[in-house]
Amino acid sequence: MNHAPPNRLLWAAELPRGAFTLGTLLVRGVPADGPPGDGRSVLLIPGLGIGDRALVPMRRYLTRLGYAAETWGFGRNLGARTVGADNERVHARIEALAAQAGPVTLVGVSLGGIMARLAAHRLGADKVRQVITVASPYAGGPRATNVWRAFQLLTGEKIDDPALAARLAELARPLPVPASAIWSAGDGLVQGHACYDPHSRAIRLRGSHLGMHFRASALRAVAAELARG
């Protein structure tokens, strides 16, 4: 389904809202509460243009709860320029982790969630245990976002490319593993209603796109979905 992008007011407010959320995290730190983890392997995949450092607070939080959480290790996420047109480097990372500790739970932010869903489809339940997406517009077309031009610039892919369209259609199908989608109706970069579908557990939160993975409520939601899964 195609969705309209967020309105211009939400778009304009993204940067200050995201900065406020990050500032709140720096002052208060990551939450101390959450359901205890079971030691499973969790791979965190960043969004477009961001890298491992942006997910350090989430990694620390999940590690504190008792998960073997790791960031992906590839630096900034520039889509196909970073991981290959078919997600090859992400798949190889997951397969290596799964060989050590069994199926991996994937937590992907924005574009990272889209990559996580593709990996779950292509690798199956033998390698992927669960997928949690955070503000990932997998259920809408590229123009359900205000960042499709930035996507083209950073990744080198064109949203009208048939190969990209086929990949997006593939990853939007129902997953073969448990799936949860964390989203916000106040997202200014991607249409919130494009971030979930009837086949996934949908968790609605308040907040901006840029600050979502820094919000205490989002961290707790990820922990709750890990415990459920």
Side-chain angles (χ1 to χ4, degrees):
M1 178 183 294
N2 291 320
H3 296 269
N7 66 55
R8 292 181 179 275
L9 289 177
L10 286 174
W11 187 11
E14 266 294 324
L15 189 57
R17 293 169 71 204
F20 177 81
T21 304
L22 176 57
T24 300
L25 175 73
L26 294 175
V27 171
R28 297 180 179 176
V30 299
D33 59 318
D38 58 6
R40 85 184 70 159
S41 180
V42 179
L43 183 64
L44 310 179
I45 306 177
L48 178 66
I50 64 174
D52 300 78
R53 290 183 180 180
L55 295 181
V56 166
M58 186 181 291
R59 179 181 61 77
R60 287 178 176 169
Y61 175 61
L62 296 180
T63 300
R64 179 183 296 174
L65 292 181
Y67 295 102
E70 300 185 33
T71 53
W72 75 339
F74 301 135
R76 285 206 304 160
N77 187 349
L78 302 180
R81 283 182 169 145
T82 301
V83 301
D86 283 313
N87 226 21
E88 304 97 303
R89 295 185 75 191
V90 174
H91 296 175
R93 180 90 162 91
I94 294 167
E95 289 177 320
L97 288 173
Q100 297 172 359
V104 182
T105 294
L106 306 179
V107 180
V109 175
S110 193
L111 178 60
I114 288 172
M115 292 176 168
R117 288 183 63 89
L118 184 63
H121 275 300
R122 298 208 174 165
L123 300 180
D126 288 343
K127 301 292 190 301
V128 177
R129 173 174 176 167
Q130 178 185 10
V131 173
I132 301 170
T133 57
V134 181
S136 300
Y138 66 86
R143 287 190 171 87
T145 79
N146 284 317
V147 292
W148 63 267
R149 293 179 179 85
F151 172 86
Q152 293 189 143
L153 178 65
L154 292 175
T155 69
E157 294 193 287
K158 301 299 182 183
I159 62 171
D160 295 324
D161 185 338
L164 176 60
R167 199 160 73 242
L168 293 175
E170 177 184 0
L171 64 87
R173 296 200 307 265
L175 291 180
V177 299
S180 304
I182 297 168
W183 68 284
S184 170
D187 195 313
L189 295 189
V190 308
Q191 172 56 251
H193 295 287
C195 295
Y196 63 94
D197 65 68
H199 305 285
S200 299
R201 273 182 48 80
I203 300 93
R204 178 176 176 175
L205 301 178
R206 298 177 62 185
S208 66
H209 186 91
L210 294 176
M212 183 61 71
H213 54 287
F214 294 133
R215 290 184 68 87
S217 59
L219 298 179
R220 291 188 178 102
V222 168
E225 293 310 299
L226 284 169
R228 181 183 295 274

